[in-house]
Amino acid sequence: MTNNKYKILLVEDDENIRTVITAMLEASDYQVVIAETCALAKMLFSSHQPDLVLLDLGLPDADGMRFLETIRQNSLTPVIVLSARTAEQDKVRALDAGANDYVTKPFGAAELLARIRSTLRTCRHCADAGKLPSGKFRLRDLTIDYDARRVFVQEREIKLTQTEYNIIALLSEHCGKMMTYSAMIQSIWGYPSEGSVKKLQVNMANIRKKLGITPGDVRYITNELGVGYRMNGERDE
């Protein structure tokens, strides 16, 4: 069997379920990292950088939703929720918070593996479409080093959060093109939710402030109210 090399973080406190899922994943040639608590999951997520997370919500030290929300603050890593909670509001809440899929327990091995393959395939297509650029982007005194995920203005490094970096990288990849709010939200978070536009605007305000952009300054980025954002100029590689 070909080694697909995908690494999955399994966050599950039930030993029996954990054992069954781990065996199933390893038989399908996935690498598996295991966490029984929310605290351990956060540590392992940071250190292992998994390709996908399988997340139980009923963890002993915290609700799994807290871990999902932590992931979505800065990361696009796909998350599939595995939960015994079958109420519609629980599913809606998880999906609105950024889960890519929601599978209720009990579930069949074939179904779970199919959902994993589908989620990874979708995310890989996003990357192939340009979500993960490489090389460098230059616009006047602004430089984005895609490989290092670092941003500089006049050779001074600008400290951005991962979400802020993802936004400015997206705009740079489409330099000169007006990116609508909905297109940016779909690319950055992968899902629309209540307050998405406001969240985007808050992140953009932080980016402008860190870049030293004052109100009315369109040196790098133009905002068309009610429409979206555009990075001004032409890409100089």
Side-chain angles (χ1 to χ4, degrees):
M1 183 179 293
T2 302
N3 190 341
N4 59 42
K5 298 182 180 178
Y6 284 116
K7 184 186 298 181
I8 295 178
L9 172 59
L10 172 60
V11 187
E12 171 63 67
D13 67 316
D14 186 298
E15 184 177 359
N16 291 331
I17 296 176
R18 200 166 59 236
T19 299
V20 170
I21 295 178
T22 298
M24 176 187 68
L25 293 174
E26 290 179 343
S28 297
D29 219 19
Y30 292 103
Q31 300 176 54
V32 185
V33 180
I34 298 171
E36 301 87 2
T37 65
C38 187
L40 181 59
K42 291 179 180 179
M43 182 179 70
L44 294 178
F45 181 83
S46 178
S47 60
H48 286 270
Q49 295 294 301
D51 298 294
L52 181 141
V53 177
L54 293 177
L55 175 62
D56 178 35
L57 297 181
L59 300 173
D61 59 335
D63 193 303
M65 284 294 300
R66 291 179 57 183
F67 180 48
L68 172 59
E69 291 162 358
T70 297
I71 292 175
R72 282 294 172 262
Q73 288 176 2
N74 301 302
S75 175
L76 295 171
T77 299
V79 177
I80 298 178
V81 170
L82 307 178
S83 178
R85 303 174 189 175
T86 59
E88 181 181 12
Q89 59 264 33
D90 290 317
K91 298 178 183 179
V92 170
R93 182 184 173 214
L95 293 170
D96 280 347
N100 297 75
D101 202 351
Y102 192 107
V103 180
T104 56
K105 300 176 182 178
F107 49 80
E111 177 190 2
L112 179 58
L113 288 171
R115 289 176 181 269
I116 290 172
R117 290 193 299 271
S118 175
T119 300
L120 288 170
R121 184 166 58 246
T122 300
C123 292
R124 185 170 66 247
H125 286 169
C126 289
D128 292 343
K131 187 170 296 221
L132 302 174
S134 60
K136 289 185 178 180
F137 168 90
R138 294 184 178 87
L139 178 62
R140 292 181 283 278
D141 56 0
L142 171 69
T143 301
I144 301 174
D145 185 333
Y146 294 127
D147 297 318
R149 293 179 62 86
R150 300 171 72 186
V151 176
F152 301 86
V153 171
Q154 297 180 343
E155 300 185 356
R156 176 177 63 88
E157 183 171 4
I158 308 301
K159 296 295 185 180
L160 301 176
T161 67
Q162 289 189 44
T163 296
E164 291 165 359
Y165 172 83
N166 290 338
I167 290 172
I168 196 170
L170 175 68
L171 288 173
S172 70
E173 278 297 286
H174 299 274
C175 191
K177 175 183 176 181
M178 177 62 68
M179 296 289 293
T180 64
Y181 294 140
S182 60
M184 292 184 67
I185 289 165
Q186 183 66 34
S187 295
I188 298 301
W189 289 282
Y191 58 94
S193 63
E194 183 178 356
S196 292
V197 172
K198 181 62 176 178
K199 180 165 58 174
L200 175 61
Q201 291 172 332
V202 168
N203 276 279
M204 184 59 71
N206 291 336
I207 292 170
R208 288 173 173 274
K209 182 177 180 180
K210 291 180 180 181
L211 293 180
I213 301 175
T214 56
D217 185 347
V218 295
R219 201 177 341 152
Y220 308 120
I221 300 168
T222 295
N223 174 216
E224 187 172 327
L225 291 176
V227 180
Y229 297 95
R230 179 181 66 245
M231 181 163 282
N232 300 314
E234 296 182 358
R235 182 170 178 169
D236 176 21
E237 291 186 300

